[in-house]
Amino acid sequence: MSIKSIVRELKEMKDGIGNISRRGLEGKHWRGRARSHIAPDETPAETDQIEQGQWANLPPELLLDIIRRVEESETSWPARAVVVHCASVCRSWREITKEIVKTPEQCGRLTFPISLKQPGHRESPIQCFIKRDTATSTFLLYYGLVPSEGENDKLLLAARKIRRATCSDFIVSLVSDDFSRASNTYVGKLRSNFLGTKFTMYDCEPTFEVPTQTQHANRISRRFHSRQVSPRLPACNYSIGTITYELNVLRSRGPRRMHCMMHSIPMSSIEEGGTVPTLTSLTETFGGQFPHLSTSKGKESVSDISSPSPSQSPVLTQGSEEPLVLKNKAPRWHEQLQCWCLNFRGRVTVASVKNFQLVAAVESFHNVSSADQERVILQFGKIGKDIFTMDYRYPLSAFQAFAICLSSFDTKPACE
């Protein structure tokens, strides 16, 4: 039996589990009403029996070999969806799949939603592209070099711009049709100031381990759905970085100058042997639970006692290391073309003020090699009407890189 036929049977079996479970629940409900005076013996649920069925009881060595073969053979989307199907068969399959599938930092591939908040590959950039829809003010991040003809591209993240009186918000979601901050697909947001010169990135999950006392408070706050309290009540957000654009007071010609301070990434991460705090689970946020709530008073949002203030960085609050700072790579003036140029290695084909490359802003006392100082961590540029490329690498994650690129779409009259 081939690997693809096994995966096909797994999908059919998964659909059958849902039908059997529904029939089992309906049957128990009817028996309870018809013969309520009889106390029948308790029998295991149908799902428990199926959990120990033919697929769940495969020898661990055989199961490990099957999933490893599937993971190695399907390296690109949409074929890589079979790896996700393997993880959804049962608990034993899920645990082995999680053990086999490596993080983007190790293998350079995106598989599960958790991969969007894990650092990119160290050796080569992860290549994506963004589609902009000006009519709906939405921005869609896809996995791949360029848009495909069949439009079977893998959607990673989606964002919608919301204009307010004093700022602009970019709400980031896992899907393109639900941007509610009360939804379980909510990932984070990007907020600008009035002039569009400073942006703050917010994550819906903390980048540090929450103390036990705080976790208990979180469990208490979960009993209320945010929509039940107030339709405008957002989920709690944790500040993970700021993006600043320099003012162009003299209105001189030239590209935008920007700096990004990543509060959740230490400067030591780009040094030799450095690491980045990496999330390993998104169960609380993307499993339908809302661990944090906040209350609104007037025009300002105030967090409850179960979470730190959104205006503070979790890393800086913990008193840890110096945060990573990124700056845009200075372009050179091309005399023949009469424009500013950067080497995007063929990934950008249209001149635009939005195009940029980010490198680490390293001082002389930092233990960073000259090669790492010149290494482009994130590059963003235009390749067509409303189509842009986004290539990122370690130590940024897909969500962080997407948020930085979203800041380039906002209007900045004081910076140009």
Side-chain angles (χ1 to χ4, degrees):
M1 182 180 294
S2 64
I3 296 297
K4 291 187 177 180
S5 61
I6 292 177
V7 173
R8 191 183 306 111
E9 289 190 16
L10 293 178
K11 293 176 63 179
E12 294 175 355
M13 186 191 70
K14 182 183 176 183
D15 297 335
I17 291 175
N19 297 330
I20 294 174
S21 300
R22 285 191 293 271
R23 291 198 302 268
L25 291 175
E26 292 174 357
K28 287 192 295 183
H29 179 67
W30 173 254
R31 289 194 301 271
R33 294 184 60 182
R35 298 180 296 174
S36 57
H37 61 282
I38 299 176
D41 295 335
E42 293 293 333
T43 57
E46 294 288 344
T47 53
D48 294 338
Q49 294 178 358
I50 296 176
E51 179 73 17
Q52 303 300 326
Q54 56 178 345
W55 296 108
N57 293 329
L58 286 178
E61 296 80 6
L62 176 60
L63 182 58
L64 186 68
D65 183 66
I66 291 175
I67 299 181
R68 181 179 287 114
R69 288 171 179 267
V70 173
E71 200 275 337
E72 292 176 353
S73 62
E74 310 297 350
T75 58
S76 60
W77 288 88
R80 193 163 176 79
V82 298
V83 180
V84 181
H85 294 155
C86 289
S88 62
V89 172
C90 59
R91 186 178 294 107
S92 59
W93 282 62
R94 185 182 307 115
E95 294 301 323
I96 293 182
T97 305
K98 289 168 59 178
E99 179 184 344
I100 292 176
V101 176
K102 299 179 180 178
T103 64
E105 179 182 350
Q106 298 170 322
C107 66
R109 292 191 290 268
L110 304 175
T111 306
F112 302 112
I114 183 63
S115 305
L116 303 175
K117 291 193 175 183
Q118 294 175 337
H121 198 220
R122 286 180 178 264
E123 302 300 328
S124 58
I126 297 179
Q127 297 173 320
C128 312
F129 64 91
I130 299 174
K131 284 185 177 180
R132 176 180 60 181
D133 189 342
T134 55
T136 58
S137 298
T138 56
F139 307 86
L140 306 180
L141 176 66
Y142 291 94
Y143 189 25
L145 294 174
V146 292
S148 61
E149 296 181 358
E151 297 185 355
N152 293 324
D153 305 303
K154 172 61 179 176
L155 177 67
L156 299 179
L157 292 169
R160 171 173 290 174
K161 181 179 180 180
I162 302 176
R163 299 180 185 272
R164 306 189 188 277
T166 59
C167 64
S168 295
D169 281 352
F170 291 86
I171 308 299
V172 183
S173 172
L174 287 174
V175 295
S176 60
D177 56 355
D178 187 0
F179 295 94
S180 170
R181 284 174 288 182
S183 171
N184 60 352
T185 59
Y186 174 71
V187 178
K189 71 175 182 178
L190 178 74
R191 168 166 290 184
S192 72
N193 62 357
F194 178 72
L195 295 176
T197 57
K198 185 176 181 179
F199 297 79
T200 305
M201 291 181 285
Y202 294 98
D203 196 336
C204 64
E205 286 209 345
T207 55
F208 59 93
E209 187 174 350
V210 182
T212 306
Q213 183 178 2
T214 305
Q215 291 179 359
H216 177 68
N218 293 344
R219 287 195 293 268
I220 296 176
S221 66
R222 283 196 206 111
R223 70 180 66 179
F224 301 105
H225 196 285
S226 55
R227 284 176 178 169
Q228 297 173 349
V229 180
S230 171
R232 300 179 59 185
L233 185 64
C236 185
N237 297 291
Y238 297 87
S239 174
I240 61 171
T242 55
I243 308 163
T244 306
Y245 289 84
E246 294 183 12
L247 291 172
N248 189 3
V249 181
L250 301 177
R251 311 297 294 177
S252 58
R253 294 182 61 189
R256 297 171 178 171
R257 291 183 290 272
M258 60 188 297
H259 287 81
C260 303
M261 180 174 290
M262 309 304 299
H263 302 314
S264 58
I265 304 177
M267 178 64 78
S268 61
S269 62
I270 61 174
E271 298 178 357
E272 185 177 357
T275 58
V276 178
T278 304
L279 290 174
T280 58
S281 175
L282 295 178
T283 53
E284 287 190 344
T285 300
F286 298 110
Q289 299 286 345
F290 298 89
H292 311 292
L293 293 176
S294 61
T295 58
S296 58
K297 182 179 181 181
K299 295 183 179 180
E300 296 184 359
S301 179
V302 182
S303 299
D304 64 356
I305 59 175
S306 65
S307 61
S309 171
S311 62
Q312 297 179 353
S313 160
V315 174
L316 296 182
T317 304
Q318 298 266 317
S320 59
E321 306 177 41
E322 174 188 4
L324 174 68
V325 178
L326 304 176
K327 64 178 181 180
N328 62 313
K329 191 174 184 179
R332 60 179 180 85
W333 178 257
H334 199 289
E335 290 293 341
Q336 295 180 350
L337 299 178
Q338 290 294 298
C339 64
W340 297 96
C341 296
L342 280 170
N343 183 12
F344 289 95
R345 302 184 183 277
R347 289 286 288 155
V348 177
T349 57
V350 179
S352 173
V353 70
K354 297 179 177 63
N355 301 345
F356 66 81
Q357 288 181 331
L358 293 184
V359 296
V362 180
E363 301 293 341
S364 57
F365 55 85
H366 291 131
N367 184 23
V368 181
S369 63
S370 57
D372 291 336
Q373 295 181 24
E374 295 296 325
R375 180 172 296 169
V376 176
I377 297 177
L378 170 64
Q379 75 173 19
F380 170 79
K382 192 173 184 179
I383 60 173
K385 184 180 180 181
D386 296 327
I387 301 179
F388 304 80
T389 58
M390 186 196 85
D391 300 342
Y392 76 97
R393 67 194 309 159
Y394 175 91
L396 290 181
S397 67
F399 167 63
Q400 293 166 342
F402 186 44
I404 295 174
C405 294
L406 288 175
S407 69
S408 186
F409 288 108
D410 201 29
T411 55
K412 304 171 182 61
C415 303
E416 300 173 357

